[in-house]
């Protein structure tokens, strides 16, 4: 497959989704059925890849074969109706793990989506997932990072740049997502010059490469099951931010709008908004 050709020819795609093989909430069969029902022509499965550290969100290495077998069944079922793709969202853990790790050499992935979710603890170097809820993030700030938000942000973007430099993947996932938890912990941080420099450095690093940058629309809508009170105060987010999307367009970076769906009802969530931001920037 060629992601660049697909995103240049249609908007009827979604290349980021999760199912029963990681932290997704519905089976692959349900997600594929819904993708067809809502009119998509291209749909990619991207379970959180196996990794070398404990994680309740990532698929087990022993499930890779089952995942592939299920994919092949669905690919045959939807042949001629929906183009399905076999992929993974591969975590980058520095020299320990990433898209170029030999583990992935013999897995017939159609494309590779790479993202940063973990950074090293401040003193022990233990890998810590900084992608969860703001409440959980605040707890981890004290436990693992001595409440040093500058360290957390610097470490996140340092890993992102390393990941881009090392390569081996096709699509960069939600590259400024740390801004959500960081700005909850320290309001206004995303407007500070040093933070903006990190974002610009990522854009500079990815410009001119073959990497497609994801516009992740998962957080445009409140979480599934949110209370009415929570929905009333919910602050919609898009990753990267609208301002960063404008920078990416100016830099000529190819962009793919993905919903990062964990539920079949969210396959199209926020995508119209994501495309509108790209259109406004053109």
């Amino acid at each position: 497959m060629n992601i660049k050709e697909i995103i240049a020819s249609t908007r009827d795609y979604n290349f980021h989704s999760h199912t029963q093989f990681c932290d997704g909430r519905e089976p692959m069969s349900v997600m594929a059925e819904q993708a067809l029902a809502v009119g998509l022509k291209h749909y990619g499965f991207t379970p959180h890849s196996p990794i070398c550290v404990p994680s309740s969100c990532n698929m087990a290495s022993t499930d890779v074969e089952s995942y592939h077998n299920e994919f092949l069944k669905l690919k045959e079922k939807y042949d001629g109706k929906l183009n399905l793709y076999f992929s993974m969202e591969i975590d980058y853990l520095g020299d320990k793990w990433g898209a170029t790790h030999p583990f992935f050499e013999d897995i017939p992935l159609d494309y590779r989506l790479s993202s940063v979710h973990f950074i090293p603890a401040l003193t022990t170097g233990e890998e810590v997932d900084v992608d969860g809820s703001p409440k959980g993030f605040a707890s981890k700030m004290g436990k693992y990072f001595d409440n040093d938000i500058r360290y957390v942000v610097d470490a996140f973007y340092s890993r992102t740049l390393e990941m881009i430099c090392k390569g081996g993947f096709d699509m960069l996932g939600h590259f400024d997502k740390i801004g959500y938890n960081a700005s909850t912990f320290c309001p206004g941080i995303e407007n500070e010059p040093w933070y903006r420099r990190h974002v610009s450095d990522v854009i500079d690093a990815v410009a001119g490469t073959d990497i497609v940058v994801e516009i992740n629309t998962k957080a445009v809508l409140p979480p599934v099951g949110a209370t009415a009170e929570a929905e009333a105060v919910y602050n919609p987010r898009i990753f990267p931010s609208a301002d960063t999307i404008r920078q990416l367009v100016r830099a000529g970076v190819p962009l793919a709008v993905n919903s990062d769906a964990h539920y079949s009802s969210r396959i199209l969530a926020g995508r119209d908004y994501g495309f509108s931001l790209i259109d406004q920037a053109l």
Side-chain angles (χ1 to χ4, degrees), residues 176-195:
D176 70 343
K177 199 173 182 186
I178 191 62
Y180 174 64
N181 279 334
S183 62
T184 302
F185 185 81
C186 182
I189 194 171
E190 291 178 277
N191 295 321
E192 295 185 15
W194 65 271
Y195 184 97

Side-chain angles (χ1 to χ4, degrees), residues 86-97:
F86 180 67
S87 182
M88 292 181 185
E89 182 176 14
I90 303 174
D91 275 288
Y92 181 75
L93 302 175
D95 292 335
K96 296 189 290 291
W97 201 258

Side-chain angles (χ1 to χ4, degrees), residues 220-223 225-236 266:
V220 170
L221 298 181
T227 65
E229 292 80 7
E231 288 189 5
V233 298
Y234 184 71
N235 180 28
R266 294 296 180 96

